[in-house]
Amino acid sequence: MVAYNSKTGLLALALGVSAASALNPNCAPGGNFDLSPYFLQLPSGTTNHPDQIPASSLEGCHGFTSPKYFFTEAGDGAMVLKAPGGGNCATFPGAPRCRAEFGDTTIFSAQNPVNRLQADLLVVKGSSICIGQVFQANSNNKPLAEVYYHGDGEITVGVEFVATGGKGQDLNPIGSVTPGSRFHYELRYENNTLEFSLNGAPFKTLKQYFSTPRAFFKMGNYNQGADDTEVHVFGLTVQHE
């Protein structure tokens, strides 16, 4: 596990790249970021069979890209994730919203002392986007918690009321960022506790309404609205112990 310093290391660790290096706009995202822990779901594909790209195809400077949905920004080298609005895309049954989203391939125990998702990003456009999740690793196929970015810059975390879904979420206001500005967050689910921090602020403990013994993280652009959305990622890191 990579060492973590909560006072001095948050942003550097969240960047997912060497502090001495910059993002290379001439490389695929896999050349700038360690994407080995993830698979990527895209809005492309066919009905009930969206494209899912394994880590082995994502890695390296000449790794996978999609000109419409997943590529490197030509100016600053950010990893771009785009998703159409209104469900106009390939999705799985029961999940009709479009996404360009990473899934953590590690199924972890909620009792672990360390389970952390860190992201450094900006939202270029979009009125409502899920930018991170703790997802139940069971047959329910439902989240435990979802991190939302709203068009006015408000950040909330919705925690599911029931494990099987369909009953809504407890929406926890976290704070706000300037629309169009870069920000970072950390989502933790460890020692059976769900916590969230925005831009290095003290962690907020979120009430849970059911037990989720095993879970995994998701992060990216999970479009919740009718408009097209675009997220630029400058850092993405998961930690487990």
Side-chain angles (χ1 to χ4, degrees):
M1 181 190 128
V2 178
Y4 178 75
N5 185 317
S6 61
K7 292 184 178 180
T8 63
L10 178 62
L11 183 57
L13 183 58
L15 287 174
V17 294
S18 168
S21 65
L23 298 174
N24 183 352
N26 298 313
C27 271
N32 288 318
F33 302 89
D34 179 10
L35 299 182
S36 61
Y38 315 101
F39 68 91
L40 174 66
Q41 181 178 331
L42 293 175
S44 54
T46 59
T47 303
N48 298 334
H49 297 283
D51 290 330
Q52 295 197 86
I53 314 302
S56 58
S57 297
L58 294 171
E59 296 177 41
C61 189
H62 300 290
F64 173 86
T65 61
S66 165
K68 291 182 67 175
Y69 302 123
F70 175 71
F71 54 91
T72 297
E73 206 282 321
D76 56 21
M79 177 165 53
V80 179
L81 299 167
K82 301 179 76 171
N88 184 26
C89 62
T91 64
F92 284 114
R97 298 186 178 97
C98 304
R99 72 183 82 196
E101 184 181 44
F102 289 102
D104 178 10
T105 56
T106 298
I107 306 299
F108 60 81
S109 168
Q111 297 180 3
N112 284 359
V114 175
N115 294 310
R116 300 174 184 179
L117 167 66
Q118 299 143 353
D120 177 11
L121 68 155
L122 69 83
V123 175
V124 174
K125 61 180 178 180
S127 61
S128 181
I129 309 173
C130 174
I131 55 173
Q133 300 188 59
V134 176
F135 210 83
Q136 299 178 78
N138 56 35
S139 59
N140 289 338
N141 195 33
K142 295 292 182 182
L144 167 66
E146 296 180 292
V147 182
Y148 298 111
Y149 173 94
H150 305 277
D152 60 359
E154 182 185 9
I155 307 294
T156 59
V157 178
V159 181
E160 294 284 339
F161 284 123
V162 294
T164 55
K167 298 294 183 180
Q169 295 180 333
D170 179 10
L171 291 175
N172 297 267
I174 300 297
S176 61
V177 300
T178 302
S181 68
R182 185 170 160 180
F183 63 97
H184 58 96
Y185 72 78
E186 182 169 345
L187 178 61
R188 296 181 177 181
Y189 189 38
E190 52 196 34
N191 298 312
N192 291 312
T193 301
L194 183 63
E195 297 180 305
F196 187 84
S197 171
L198 176 65
N199 284 334
F203 280 86
K204 180 173 183 175
T205 300
L206 305 170
K207 182 180 178 179
Q208 300 173 67
Y209 297 89
F210 55 86
S211 175
T212 302
R214 294 174 66 77
F216 62 97
F217 290 122
K218 292 187 176 185
M219 185 274 162
N221 180 354
Y222 181 20
N223 193 344
Q224 304 293 295
D227 53 338
D228 294 347
T229 53
E230 182 174 339
V231 173
H232 289 201
V233 179
F234 297 89
L236 174 60
T237 305
V238 290
Q239 294 174 273
H240 301 295
E241 183 178 272

